[in-house]
Structures are given as C-alpha cells and as structure tokens.
Amino acid sequence: MKEGQILELKPIGIVHSPYLDRGEAPRQGCGREEICQVEVFKEFEEGLKDIEGFSHIILIYWFHKSRGYHLLVKTPWDTKPHGLFTTRSPDRPCPLGLCVVELIAREKNILKVKGLDAIDGTPLLDIKPYIPSIDEKVNVQIGWLKDRLKVKRI
Amino acid sequence: MKEGQILELKPIGIVHSPYLDRGEAPRQGCGREEICQVEVFKEFEEGLKDIEGFSHIILIYWFHKSRGYHLLVKTPWDTKPHGLFTTRSPDRPCPLGLCVVELIAREKNILKVKGLDAIDGTPLLDIKPYIPSIDEKVNVQIGWLKDRLKVKRI
C-alpha cells in the first residue's frame, strides 16, 4: 500500500433511525430503548441467512454528517484536549462508526435493532456477528476516560 | 444517501505483521502472542495523545487481500452454508476488518499490539478506544456458532 492511496466502499444498506440529526443522537446507543431499522439492500439479503440466531451484531457504518476532524479534541467528559483516537468522536479521518447492537427481529432485509447511535440515513457498510470469546477482553484500562463515563454496561 | 453511492477512504496507517499472507494469519488474533507494529502515519500522530493509558484498542482496517465475496459461505466450523454477515470472513462487500487488540507499548507513531489477525501491509483505517461499558454485552447468543468456536476468552 502506498501512503495517500484512496480506497472505495459501496454501502450495503441504510439506517432508518428516530434520531434525525447529530443533536438528537445519543453519544452511545447502549442503554437506549429506541428501535432502529437497518435496511440491508435486497442484493445483499441472502448474506443475512441464520442471523436470527444471534442476539447481538456489530454494525460498521459511515458517519455521513462528519464535519472533518481535529487530532486533539475536547470531550464532554473533561476540559483537557485528548488524542482523537482515544475518543469515539464521529469527526475522524476515516469517518467509520462502530456499534454493538441488540438484534430484536428480522423481517426479510430489515433488521430491527436496539442500542444504535446512528442518525437517520446513515450508510451501512458491514455487519459482523458479535462473539464474546473474540470481542471481549479482561483487565481493561480506559486511560483518561476512567471514572468519567456514565454509561452502564447492559 | 443513494443506493450505489461510492464512499472514499484514505488510510491513516499501515500494519507491520509477522503474518505475510492469508495462509499465515490466524482466524482471529486473540490468544496469539505475536506482536504487530501498527504504524500511524506521521500526519496523524498527534491523535494518539494519551493512548498509552488504554490497555486495549479497536482497530479497523482494510482487508487488502480480500478476493470478492459470496453471500453464502462455508466455514471451517461446520458443513452448512451460512449467511456471510454471520461470519467474520475477510471476503465481504465492504472488506473492513475489526479487531480488539492489547496495546503493549507506544513509540511515537508506532503502536505495538498483541492479538491482531491482520497480515503484513494491511491499511489501517481507524483506531478507537475499547470501552467495556459500551462495547461489551451480556446474555449473548451466537446462533449457529454456538459450541463450534474453539477460541477462549482472554
């Protein structure tokens, strides 16, 4: 790979969400009761086979309302600037969002999910199964975020 | 967003890994002892400020050796075809890889990490802090993968 190379992506779907813009979306979706509808375009529907058996899935999406980025950012959690890559800000060089959501139901190419922070119209890029034995870690330290986050594990 | 829209990404770094091609890379990196060096391009180095305080980070990268995709895939775990989006195959419509890795050390713009399954030369797209209260879930069901995975939580 050469520095400066451009990679191209074509979305596989779109998120229909009750959050209509950035101001309405939660900082993280976990703990929220709202249901979002994740529409997987018909041409990819076959790839959803057997997904009903999974209680949680990982969604990767495009922060389409991202507004460029700064490498040092202030967050709501304290007054100091921190490195962008220690935050979950949507304003990133590659504006990729990531959320582990609860899969409530599937109706053909529509997934009803809970715990998603994406706003309406968000392009969906990928769906992966959430697998605790792979995706969860123990003895985790969260640096400057320690004691600052109010989100409870659900 | 319109169906068929093309989105463009510019990598923020590159992975230097002991796994030189697909045949050498582990199916998932967790449990492996090899150290990978994640080079963040100099122009993004400032975004790493304070990352040393985090024991685990989420890497999103580009499966540059992806070979197209099939929506139904057979895996090593059983003989039946399953929906692509219930697997972690690198051959996906949007070839995005995701791995939670242990951050061993940082030296300027180089992150030394353990537990990464990416092969040498993999373009790095994003780094996010791994935050258990956001990223971990309870009462998880993993569908057809149940009793098939040999990976142990570490």
Side-chain angles (χ1 to χ4, degrees):
Chain A
M1 185 199 64
K2 290 177 188 164
E3 213 169 320
Q5 181 187 7
I6 302 291
L7 305 172
E8 292 189 345
L9 287 174
K10 211 176 91 177
I12 63 164
I14 186 168
V15 175
H16 304 286
S17 155
Y19 315 123
L20 298 185
D21 61 37
R22 283 175 62 131
E24 292 182 16
R27 291 201 177 274
Q28 296 293 328
C30 53
R32 301 292 294 241
E33 291 299 314
E34 289 90 341
I35 303 290
C36 293
Q37 303 216 18
V38 177
E39 176 188 347
V40 174
F41 296 140
K42 278 284 181 186
E43 68 178 287
F44 301 109
E45 182 178 338
E46 196 174 32
L48 297 176
K49 183 178 180 318
D50 300 331
I51 205 163
E52 302 87 341
F54 292 77
S55 62
H56 294 77
I57 53 178
I58 301 171
L59 302 181
I60 302 179
Y61 42 94
W62 184 265
F63 286 129
H64 66 305
K65 299 289 186 184
S66 179
R67 302 175 289 217
Y69 64 91
H70 298 281
L71 291 172
L72 292 179
V73 292
K74 285 189 187 170
T75 69
W77 316 121
D78 69 4
T79 57
K80 293 180 189 164
H82 297 283
L84 174 61
F85 300 120
T86 70
T87 79
R88 301 289 276 256
S89 167
D91 297 322
R92 323 178 70 80
C94 293
L96 300 174
L98 166 72
C99 197
V100 184
V101 301
E102 186 179 351
L103 177 58
I104 303 296
R106 172 190 170 191
E107 291 172 9
K108 295 183 179 173
N109 65 321
I110 306 289
L111 304 177
K112 296 189 177 186
V113 306
K114 199 191 276 190
L116 180 59
D117 60 359
I119 61 180
D120 194 51
T122 294
L124 178 70
L125 302 176
D126 200 10
I127 302 169
K128 297 182 193 292
Y130 175 71
I131 305 170
S133 62
I134 292 173
D135 299 311
E136 292 188 3
K137 307 295 168 182
V138 294
N139 300 323
V140 175
Q141 303 296 322
I142 56 169
W144 67 268
L145 282 168
K146 191 180 173 215
D147 302 327
R148 292 206 170 84
L149 285 183
K150 303 293 178 220
V151 182
K152 284 203 171 56
R153 175 170 166 162
I154 57 161
Chain B
M1 187 200 64
K2 291 176 189 164
E3 212 169 321
Q5 181 187 7
I6 302 291
L7 305 173
E8 293 189 346
L9 286 173
K10 210 175 90 176
I12 63 164
I14 186 168
V15 175
H16 304 287
S17 155
Y19 315 123
L20 298 185
D21 62 35
R22 283 176 60 130
E24 292 182 15
R27 289 198 180 276
Q28 295 293 327
C30 53
R32 301 293 293 241
E33 290 300 315
E34 290 90 340
I35 303 289
C36 293
Q37 302 215 18
V38 177
E39 175 188 349
V40 175
F41 297 139
K42 278 284 182 187
E43 68 177 287
F44 301 108
E45 182 178 339
E46 195 173 33
L48 297 175
K49 182 177 181 323
D50 301 330
I51 205 163
E52 302 87 339
F54 291 78
S55 62
H56 294 77
I57 52 178
I58 302 171
L59 302 181
I60 301 179
Y61 41 95
W62 185 265
F63 286 128
H64 65 307
K65 299 289 187 186
S66 179
R67 303 176 289 218
Y69 64 90
H70 297 281
L71 291 172
L72 293 179
V73 293
K74 285 188 186 172
T75 69
W77 316 120
D78 69 4
T79 56
K80 293 180 191 164
H82 297 283
L84 173 61
F85 301 121
T86 70
T87 79
R88 301 289 275 256
S89 166
D91 298 322
R92 322 178 71 80
C94 293
L96 299 174
L98 166 72
C99 197
V100 183
V101 301
E102 186 179 349
L103 178 59
I104 303 296
R106 172 190 170 189
E107 291 172 10
K108 295 183 179 173
N109 65 322
I110 306 289
L111 304 177
K112 296 189 177 185
V113 305
K114 199 192 275 187
L116 180 59
D117 60 358
I119 62 180
D120 195 50
T122 295
L124 178 69
L125 301 176
D126 200 11
I127 301 170
K128 297 181 193 294
Y130 175 70
I131 305 170
S133 62
I134 292 172
D135 299 311
E136 292 188 2
K137 305 296 167 181
V138 293
N139 300 324
V140 175
Q141 302 296 322
I142 57 169
W144 66 269
L145 282 167
K146 191 181 172 211
D147 302 327
R148 293 205 168 85
L149 285 183
K150 303 292 179 219
V151 182
K152 283 202 173 56
R153 175 170 167 163
I154 56 161

